[in-house]
Amino acid sequence: MARRLISSGSTFEKSIGYSRAVVDGDWVFVSGTTGFDYSNMTIQDNAVAQCEQALKNIAAALKQADSSFADVVRVHYLMTSAADFERCWPAMGKAFGEVRPAATMMVVGLADSRMKIEIEVTALRRKKTGRKAAPRKKIVKAVRRKK
């Protein structure tokens, strides 16, 4: 399968020279994604609102890659304040609670002082065959009969 580049339409992608996501085989690599609403290039001041918007942006990129949060195997949270992390847990849990990918949270400085969170994910797309998985073989133990 050829490598495919996915864009969100963000002006950052063209200016800086990157893709929102890259699909390579069954792997999907989503770039660090902030809480900007790319339709109007605005960002809210609240960390929780930014987290929710970043997750919406990631969901859109995953959808374009024929993937979803269910396929995410790793997530990196980059935050400007550790105090905001716990406040974002409900939004994070809604996206990843059942999936439970490997995760890392780091407190960092971000490129724009308005940004409070950046989220990066890696997903491994599951094969969609349209048929049920083959049944597992039953292990039968041989039992000796006593005479």
Side-chain angles (χ1 to χ4, degrees), residues 59-112:
L62 289 170
K63 185 176 180 179
Q64 284 183 278
D66 299 320
S67 187
S68 71
F69 285 129
D71 296 326
V72 173
V73 295
R74 175 170 296 283
V75 59
H76 291 140
Y77 300 106
L78 309 173
M79 303 190 74
T80 59
S81 172
D84 289 333
F85 187 48
E86 190 170 346
R87 293 181 31 232
C88 291
W89 288 357
M92 295 167 176
K94 185 177 178 183
F96 301 116
E98 297 298 317
V99 181
R100 298 181 56 169
T104 301
M105 190 286 270
M106 294 176 272
V107 176
V108 301
L110 295 174
D112 183 320

Side-chain angles (χ1 to χ4, degrees), residues 6-101:
I6 293 174
S7 175
S8 67
S10 162
T11 57
F12 297 130
E13 293 168 27
K14 185 175 180 181
S15 299
I16 299 170
Y18 71 96
S19 296
R20 173 62 43 219
V22 175
V23 179
D24 195 341
D26 288 326
W27 289 98
V28 182
F29 303 92
V30 181
S31 293
T33 304
T34 63
F36 271 92
D37 179 340
Y38 298 126
S39 67
N40 56 24
M41 288 308 292
T42 60
I43 191 166
Q44 293 188 43
D45 191 43
N46 179 291
V48 174
Q50 287 189 27
C51 180
E52 291 168 346
Q53 183 62 51
L55 290 167
K56 286 178 189 173
N57 296 340
I58 291 167
L62 289 170
K63 185 176 180 179
Q64 284 183 278
D66 299 320
S67 187
S68 71
F69 285 129
D71 296 326
V72 173
V73 295
R74 175 170 296 283
V75 59
H76 291 140
Y77 300 106
L78 309 173
M79 303 190 74
T80 59
S81 172
D84 289 333
F85 187 48
E86 190 170 346
R87 293 181 31 232
C88 291
W89 288 357
M92 295 167 176
K94 185 177 178 183
F96 301 116
E98 297 298 317
V99 181
R100 298 181 56 169

